[in-house]
């Protein structure tokens, strides 16, 4: 059975050496002293290793079952969910007014990675609830918040998001689900939604569905979409549960992975719903949930890469095969462990350098969200809006790639189910698809986010990189290995942006055909910046006499690998972008 150990030391390094959270001016960050965050992470790590990880293969094998209209989760999930609720993990960063602990989002993100790495399918139940909570918290009336949020914070009631229909995914303007106004101010919701994660299950007393639907007579297309709160059971004025609400499960989707999560077809038959936010402004409210979910999905991609890497390292140190070309390293055994071989080392270094750089990128982005929400910083809000498709698209693409590379370390043993590596691959695969497929993330990045607010946010990113390089220009420990590669990556990113400006207006396909490469170019540049910052922090720790010199020296060696072996990919992506659309669009549709 695969194992999982929470990467607590690495998270602590990022929180305190790199981000220096306890000295940030963000409200609430003064509580994030190293002893406090360490205690939270240690406890989360215990839950992850002892409770969640052992259930990961159970969920994969058993899946969820629909019998007589009721969905049951895999063996052990209900007890584990009680552990999560009793520990207060479901409301870690939620509003104290509604029973949450009010911790910063950055800490919740770090804990979320730990839980997701141990059991992604399980953690989705509370993750979807958190997203629904956030949407109601941001757009609900005082009455709606008082009625629904306290029990969603505790996960006595869970939540979902219902967007997709069988004939429309990304193009939600085509949806057919309708919402008919009633005399009492409620609506009758009728329609069918597919791919609904955590759509129904036996972990909570009630499920609060957020459902996109069209009010008859409204504007055509996406402008006519509204968002509704549709509980599985009607909630009475005193907060108790009433009658069932005409919400049923048509089926459970048969999926490639995340078998432990009940991904349902949901059927609404004159269900009672309550408008969330304004009429015909449903996407505005839903995007509160979707943007949070996209950051969360990026975290999932990273988490699967981490757990796959951990198990690949264990196997590489244990599996004996061949001899090191430079001389025998295991003279008492019949062969050397495969970790002595350069290509296995390359494979593991790819994984390690991505995971650690990606974690820095994720927590930096979470820090930006805290600065935006808690400190009202509009610049941070704009920057994280720019970064959201990069976090989602890049971390999940590369996260999936890294689970495949980890599986490769096992050879044939990685392909059979005994070692559990195929589950990490299969579970990671969905992260590239849901919450907006990665091609859509790339189109959003190039088509909308680059030009947002006159391009000020991407310019702010370039200035951030330029300032870091300038401020550290005299640091010889950083210059050759970190600053020069980062400078080249930033130049490649700027050149790609300039190409879009010069060629995208006359032919939009020139920009859109290069959007996927641009997303990856941007992602690599972000990780380059993160590695440069981590290198600076590691050097400072060593200069100040840090006791664990091995940790910091390992960090520097891993960073040098990324800068030398991975960051040059920005040049490849730029070259592809600059070829334009001609080769991409050369064939008529009939030629395929």
């Amino acid at each position: 059975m695969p194992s999982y150990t929470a990467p607590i030391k690495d998270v602590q390094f990022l929180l305190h050496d790199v981000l220096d959270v306890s000295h940030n001016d963000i409200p609430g960050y003064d509580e994030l002293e190293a002893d406090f965050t360490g205690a939270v992470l240690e406890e989360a790590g215990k839950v992850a290793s002892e409770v969640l990880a052992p259930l990961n293969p159970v969920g994969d094998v058993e899946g969820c079952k629909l019998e007589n209209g009721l969905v049951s989760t895999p063996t052990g999930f209900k007890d584990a969910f009680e552990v999560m609720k009793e520990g207060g993990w479901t409301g870690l960063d939620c509003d104290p007014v509604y029973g949450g602990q009010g911790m910063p989002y950055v800490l919740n993100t770090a804990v979320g990675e730990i839980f997701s790495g141990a059991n992604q399918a399980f953690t989705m139940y509370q993750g979807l609830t958190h997203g629904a909570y956030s949407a109601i918290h941001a757009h609900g009336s005082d009455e709606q918040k008082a009625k629904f949020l306290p029990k969603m914070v505790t996960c006595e009631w869970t939540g979902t998001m219902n967007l997709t229909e069988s004939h429309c995914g990304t193009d939600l303007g085509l949806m057919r689900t309708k919402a008919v106004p009633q005399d009492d101010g409620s609506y009758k919701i009728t329609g069918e939604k597919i791919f609904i994660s955590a759509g129904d299950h036996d972990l909570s007393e009630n499920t609060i569905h957020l459902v996109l639907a069209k009010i008859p007579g409204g504007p055509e297309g996406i402008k006519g979409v509204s968002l509704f709160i549709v509980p599985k059971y009607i909630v009475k004025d005193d907060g108790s549960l009433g009658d069932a609400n005409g919400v049923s499960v048509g089926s459970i989707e048969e999926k490639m992975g995340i078998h432990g999560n009940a991904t349902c077809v949901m059927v609404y038959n004159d269900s009672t719903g309550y408008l969330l936010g304004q009429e015909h402004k449903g996407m505005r409210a839903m995007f509160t949930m979707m943007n949070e979910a996209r950051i969360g999905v990026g975290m999932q991609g990273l988490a699967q890469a981490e757990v796959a890497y951990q198990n690949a390292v264990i196997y590489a140190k244990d599996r004996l095969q061949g001899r090191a070309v430079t001389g025998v390293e295991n003279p008492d055994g019949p062969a050397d462990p495969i970790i002595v071989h350069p290509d296995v080392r390359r494979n593991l270094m790819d994984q390690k350098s991505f995971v650690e750089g990606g974690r820095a990128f994720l927590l930096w982005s979470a820090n930006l969200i805290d600065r935006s929400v808690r400190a009202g910083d509009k610049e941070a809000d704009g920057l994280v809006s720019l970064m959201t498709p990069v976090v989602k698209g890049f971390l999940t693409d590369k996260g999936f790639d890294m689970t495949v590379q980890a599986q490769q370390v096992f050879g044939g043993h990685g392909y059979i189910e005994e070692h559990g590596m195929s589950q990490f691959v299969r579970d990671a695969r969905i992260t590239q698809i849901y919450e907006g497929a990665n091609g859509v993330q790339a189109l959003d990045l190039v088509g909308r986010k680059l030009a947002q607010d006159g391009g000020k946010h991407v310019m702010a990113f370039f200035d951030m990189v330029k300032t870091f390089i300038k401020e550290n220009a005299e640091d010889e420990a950083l210059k050759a290995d970190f600053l020069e590669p980062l400078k080249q990556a930033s130049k490649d990113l700027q050149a790609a942006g300039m190409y879009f400006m010069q060629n995208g207006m006359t032919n939009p396909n020139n920009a859109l055909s290069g959007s996927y490469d641009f997303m990856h170019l941007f992602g690599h540049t972000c990780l380059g910046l993160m590695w440069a910052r981590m290198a600076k922090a590691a050097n400072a720790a060593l200069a100040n006499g840090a006791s664990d010199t091995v940790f910091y020296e390992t960090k520097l060696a891993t960073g040098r690998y990324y800068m030398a072996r991975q960051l040059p990919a920005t040049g490849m992506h730029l070259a592809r972008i600059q070829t334009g659309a001609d080769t991409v669009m050369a064939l008529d549709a009939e030629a395929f």
Side-chain angles (χ1 to χ4, degrees):
M1 179 185 293
S3 63
Y4 176 76
T5 302
I8 295 170
K9 190 163 190 174
D10 199 53
V11 174
Q12 285 285 79
F13 165 71
L14 292 171
L15 291 177
H16 300 288
D17 292 64
V18 180
L19 296 174
D20 195 19
V21 291
S22 62
H23 295 103
N24 274 210
D25 58 354
I26 299 171
Y29 269 47
D30 56 336
E31 298 182 41
L32 300 182
E33 296 289 346
D35 287 347
F36 174 74
T37 60
V40 172
L41 295 170
E42 287 282 353
E43 193 59 34
K46 289 179 184 177
V47 173
S49 298
E50 298 172 9
V51 179
L52 302 188
L55 293 177
N56 201 38
V58 175
D60 188 50
V61 172
E62 288 190 14
C64 298
K65 296 179 176 64
L66 173 62
E67 296 176 346
N68 301 318
L70 301 175
V71 175
S72 58
T73 52
T75 303
F77 271 42
K78 288 183 72 172
D79 289 341
F81 207 62
E82 290 303 311
V83 171
M84 301 300 286
K85 291 192 290 186
E86 291 168 5
W89 298 109
T90 61
L92 192 65
D93 69 332
C94 294
D95 191 339
V97 170
Y98 303 105
Q101 297 186 49
M103 290 291 104
Y105 182 73
V106 71
L107 184 59
N108 189 64
T109 301
V111 169
E113 189 217 322
I114 290 171
F115 290 155
S116 238
N119 194 325
Q120 177 178 326
F122 175 91
T123 304
M124 289 170 64
Y125 290 102
Q126 69 196 57
L128 270 296
T129 305
H130 190 285
Y133 153 88
S134 295
I136 296 173
H137 190 271
H139 301 283
S141 65
D142 290 342
E143 180 184 2
Q144 288 172 336
K145 288 188 277 191
K147 177 178 281 191
F148 296 107
L149 293 188
K151 291 194 175 182
M152 293 179 74
V153 167
T154 61
C155 273
E156 292 171 80
W157 300 348
T158 51
T160 71
M161 55 193 296
N162 287 237
L163 291 81
T164 307
E165 299 180 12
S166 58
H167 62 284
C168 69
T170 303
D171 191 354
L172 292 170
L174 299 176
M175 73 175 57
R176 296 171 186 154
T177 301
K178 64 180 180 179
V180 179
Q182 304 298 298
D183 292 339
D184 64 357
S186 67
Y187 292 77
K188 288 298 183 183
I189 313 296
T190 300
E192 184 176 282
K193 300 287 186 176
I194 64 171
F195 305 159
I196 309 306
S197 300
D200 195 76
H201 49 82
D202 55 3
L203 303 181
S204 63
E205 301 169 355
N206 200 7
T207 305
I208 310 303
H209 301 286
L210 297 192
V211 182
L212 285 176
K214 288 184 175 181
I215 300 171
E220 291 295 319
I222 199 68
K223 294 182 179 179
V225 172
S226 302
L227 184 61
F228 300 89
I229 300 172
V230 187
K232 178 180 179 180
Y233 295 102
I234 295 294
V235 181
K236 298 178 181 179
D237 290 340
D238 64 359
S240 64
L241 297 184
D243 296 334
N245 189 22
V247 180
S248 61
V249 179
S251 63
I252 296 178
E253 307 282 10
E254 293 289 336
K255 310 186 299 291
M256 176 179 174
I258 55 169
H259 296 152
N261 195 270
T263 307
C264 300
V265 174
M266 301 302 303
V267 180
Y268 298 90
N269 185 15
D270 276 344
S271 310
T272 298
Y274 311 97
L275 183 68
L276 179 59
Q278 298 175 288
E279 284 189 0
H280 316 312
K281 303 292 184 183
M283 291 309 297
R284 179 184 301 174
M286 184 60 89
F287 264 110
T288 299
M289 189 174 183
M290 288 173 67
N291 285 333
E292 176 182 308
R294 286 170 177 173
I295 297 290
V297 172
M299 175 266 288
Q300 289 179 338
L302 174 71
Q304 292 307 297
E306 166 69 33
V307 66
Y309 164 72
Q310 287 186 18
N311 284 277
V313 169
I314 293 169
Y315 186 82
K317 290 180 177 179
D318 182 65
R319 172 73 169 179
L320 302 181
Q321 189 163 308
R323 291 293 189 184
V325 294
T326 53
V328 174
E329 295 199 19
N330 180 32
D332 296 329
D336 290 333
I338 62 172
I339 199 167
V340 305
H341 303 306
D343 193 61
V344 174
R345 289 290 186 94
R346 171 202 58 77
N347 191 327
L348 294 174
M349 286 297 285
D350 280 353
Q351 296 172 58
K352 181 176 174 63
S353 64
F354 164 74
V355 165
E356 294 180 15
R359 180 175 296 115
F361 182 35
L362 178 71
L363 294 182
W364 173 69
S365 300
N367 176 231
L368 286 177
I369 291 174
D370 277 332
R371 185 166 292 282
S372 167
V373 174
R374 289 174 169 257
D377 188 327
K378 298 297 184 185
E379 302 303 318
D381 183 63
L383 192 54
V384 81
S385 177
L386 172 71
M387 291 298 169
T388 296
V390 185
V391 171
K392 197 280 183 184
F394 183 73
L395 291 187
T396 60
D397 274 351
K398 300 303 289 186
F400 173 74
D401 288 348
M402 294 305 112
T403 63
V404 172
Q405 288 194 208
Q407 184 186 39
Q408 188 73 15
V409 171
F410 284 71
H413 292 287
Y415 196 68
I416 62 174
E417 295 299 329
E418 178 186 353
H419 289 277
M421 298 305 289
S422 83
Q423 183 183 356
F424 302 137
V425 174
R426 290 183 285 103
D427 286 357
R429 184 66 183 92
I430 186 57
T431 66
Q432 299 170 284
I433 298 171
Y434 61 15
E435 304 307 338
N438 285 356
V440 176
Q441 301 300 322
L443 295 179
D444 178 48
L445 175 62
V446 171
R448 294 179 61 245
K449 298 299 176 61
L450 285 185
Q452 194 171 22
D453 296 325
K456 66 181 292 186
H457 306 302
V458 72
M459 295 307 298
F461 177 78
F462 290 141
D463 287 344
M464 184 186 303
V465 175
K466 183 178 179 180
T467 298
F468 180 86
I469 292 172
K470 184 176 181 180
E471 288 177 349
N472 296 282
E474 303 305 316
D475 188 338
E476 293 300 325
L478 291 179
K479 192 171 184 179
D481 292 336
F482 292 93
L483 299 185
E484 290 301 326
L486 176 59
K487 184 185 295 185
Q488 183 58 54
S490 182
K491 286 181 178 179
D492 289 342
L493 186 62
Q494 292 178 67
M498 185 62 67
Y499 175 84
F500 291 154
M501 288 180 60
Q502 294 173 343
N503 298 276
M505 295 295 289
T506 55
N507 181 4
N509 282 339
N510 281 326
L512 299 185
S513 63
S515 60
Y516 213 96
D517 279 286
F518 186 82
M519 181 177 72
H520 276 252
L521 201 169
F522 210 149
H524 277 298
T525 305
C526 288
L527 262 64
L529 176 61
M530 295 302 109
W531 270 116
R533 288 180 167 178
M534 287 190 282
K536 181 178 180 179
N539 282 329
L542 289 170
N544 292 330
S547 58
D548 191 354
T549 58
V550 173
F551 174 83
Y552 293 105
E553 288 170 353
T554 300
K555 185 67 66 176
L556 289 166
T558 306
R560 291 187 191 102
Y561 179 90
Y562 190 88
M563 304 304 273
R565 297 288 298 245
Q566 295 297 316
L567 196 56
T570 60
M572 175 193 69
H573 290 299
L574 174 61
R576 289 175 175 174
I577 289 167
Q578 291 176 333
T579 64
D582 289 347
T583 56
V584 175
M585 307 300 291
L587 297 180
D588 292 333
E590 291 75 17
F592 286 92

